[in-house]
Amino acid sequence: MKINYELYKVFYYVAKHLSFSKAADELFISQSAVSQSIKSLEKELSTSLFIRSTKKVSLSKEGEILLKHIEPALNLIKNGERNIQEINSFEKGEIHIGANDTISKDFLLPYLQRFHQLYPQIHIQITNRTSSTCVELLKQGAVDLIITNLPNNKITDFMEVTEIFTFKDIFISGYDFKQLKGQDIELKDLADYPILMLEKKTTTRRFFDELMDKFEVEITPEVELGSIDLLIEMAKIGLGISFVPDYCIDKTNKELFQLDIKEELPKRKLAVVTNKNIPFSIASKKFMELMLS
């Protein structure tokens, strides 16, 4: 079966936008040409790739399967084209980084600023997702590299992991619980206080749950959020005790204090993760060198 590459390209953009008109705009072709291309592809594959209605377009089951294969392939081609252009000239280019909000704000910003100062011609794109979702983006080739907390059980053998930073997770509180300041506290004692935690889908929350299992402590969070910044702010106003990476805390902050936990909590690491199957761009290499210098 020989199918024109352009048909797959049209399919990808329709699937990306779930819109024939938006795909046509991005590809600079007519909507009827998009529609005809999809019909041709469906005929060649002997299946329906989209479910069409008067108001919306959605992927069929077969379309979802095809997209999982087409998206990484198109990203690989795009990255290859970009790398060839960069070989001839480093006067322009781009780098696409995946990282969660906390890592982007509290760790990456100084590196991004320095990279921009050194290479102002390079366009920097950041995609903020959970660390687990960032791994999926890396699998698809949608990003050049990701910065993630370790351990991250979504990382596969097809990925290269370079550790760049060591940190500890700490319990913090505002002064509504000032009686705890300076006290040696056992983890089991925290069950008597409102605990503010990240959502279960995050790597930090999985680390916390595994830690509690290890120490045989049962703690049920009173509040679950998707943002470290919110956990810090809620701790400040006395809503509970938060569990956060230490690099997120301003050491000069007078509204919070760190709890002294008797048990020795293991350290974690931040790492740069890349996809071994995707050629590394010159811009990505320069950014890696900057972080490791």
Side-chain angles (χ1 to χ4, degrees), residues 11-276:
F11 163 77
Y12 169 73
Y13 281 100
V14 176
K16 175 184 175 183
H17 296 294
L18 293 178
S19 167
F20 282 68
S21 61
K22 289 181 180 178
D25 290 342
E26 190 155 353
L27 291 166
F28 300 103
I29 59 177
S30 67
Q31 189 170 333
S32 62
V34 170
S35 180
Q36 187 58 48
S37 294
I38 295 301
K39 287 179 181 178
S40 297
L41 183 59
E42 290 178 325
K43 182 178 179 181
E44 289 291 335
L45 296 175
S46 301
T47 190
S48 294
L49 299 172
F50 294 96
I51 300 170
R52 303 161 175 84
S53 69
T54 54
K55 292 186 178 180
K56 65 178 182 178
V57 175
S58 59
L59 282 164
S60 66
K61 184 177 179 180
E62 293 80 5
E64 290 176 353
I65 293 171
L66 183 61
L67 180 61
K68 288 180 181 178
H69 294 276
I70 293 299
E71 186 169 25
L74 287 177
N75 284 330
L76 191 60
I77 292 170
K78 182 174 68 175
N79 289 335
E81 292 172 343
R82 187 180 66 188
N83 289 353
I84 292 297
Q85 291 170 350
E86 287 184 353
I87 287 172
N88 298 323
S89 171
F90 195 51
E91 293 179 358
K92 61 180 180 179
E94 64 180 43
I95 180 172
H96 194 165
I97 302 168
N100 67 34
D101 289 344
T102 302
I103 293 172
S104 298
K105 171 179 172 288
D106 295 313
F107 177 77
L108 266 184
L109 277 182
Y111 294 104
L112 295 173
Q113 181 182 28
R114 180 61 178 154
F115 186 81
H116 179 65
Q117 290 170 344
L118 291 171
Y119 310 107
Q121 75 277 16
I122 303 301
H123 175 67
I124 303 171
Q125 186 174 352
I126 307 294
T127 296
N128 290 135
R129 299 289 188 275
T130 66
S131 290
S132 296
T133 303
C134 283
V135 173
E136 293 302 318
L137 293 175
L138 188 62
K139 285 181 184 177
Q140 298 164 9
V143 294
D144 299 313
L145 57 88
I146 65 172
I147 316 295
T148 178
N149 297 316
L150 298 180
N152 185 332
N153 59 12
K154 297 291 185 179
I155 294 173
T156 71
D157 293 337
F158 297 104
M159 298 177 183
E160 189 79 36
V161 178
T162 305
E163 297 175 355
I164 55 174
F165 182 72
T166 300
F167 67 94
K168 290 192 71 172
D169 296 276
I170 59 176
F171 289 93
I172 58 169
S173 174
Y175 281 85
D176 284 56
F177 301 102
K178 61 184 178 182
Q179 72 274 15
L180 298 177
K181 188 175 184 181
Q183 301 296 315
D184 285 335
I185 303 165
E186 294 185 24
L187 284 173
K188 63 181 179 63
D189 296 332
L190 294 177
D192 297 329
Y193 296 89
I195 301 298
L196 316 176
M197 278 299 306
L198 285 176
E199 298 169 333
K200 288 183 178 293
K201 63 182 179 180
T202 62
T203 55
T204 296
R205 176 59 184 277
R206 279 196 292 269
F207 173 74
F208 174 84
D209 290 341
E210 290 169 6
L211 199 60
M212 295 305 103
D213 288 341
K214 175 184 175 182
F215 287 106
E216 298 182 340
V217 174
E218 186 173 343
I219 293 179
T220 302
E222 187 158 311
V223 174
E224 296 178 321
L225 298 168
S227 164
I228 290 286
D229 285 346
L230 277 176
L231 290 178
I232 294 171
E233 293 305 313
M234 286 189 170
K236 283 181 183 178
I237 62 175
L239 292 185
I241 296 168
S242 294
F243 183 74
V244 299
D246 59 2
Y247 64 83
C248 303
I249 301 300
D250 180 358
K251 300 297 189 293
T252 64
N253 192 309
K254 303 298 184 182
E255 300 174 87
L256 294 167
F257 63 88
Q258 178 181 339
L259 277 63
D260 297 321
I261 304 298
K262 285 185 177 180
E263 291 87 347
E264 183 66 27
L265 304 186
K267 294 179 180 180
R268 286 199 290 161
K269 295 180 183 293
L270 285 180
V272 180
V273 185
T274 57
N275 190 329
K276 295 178 182 177

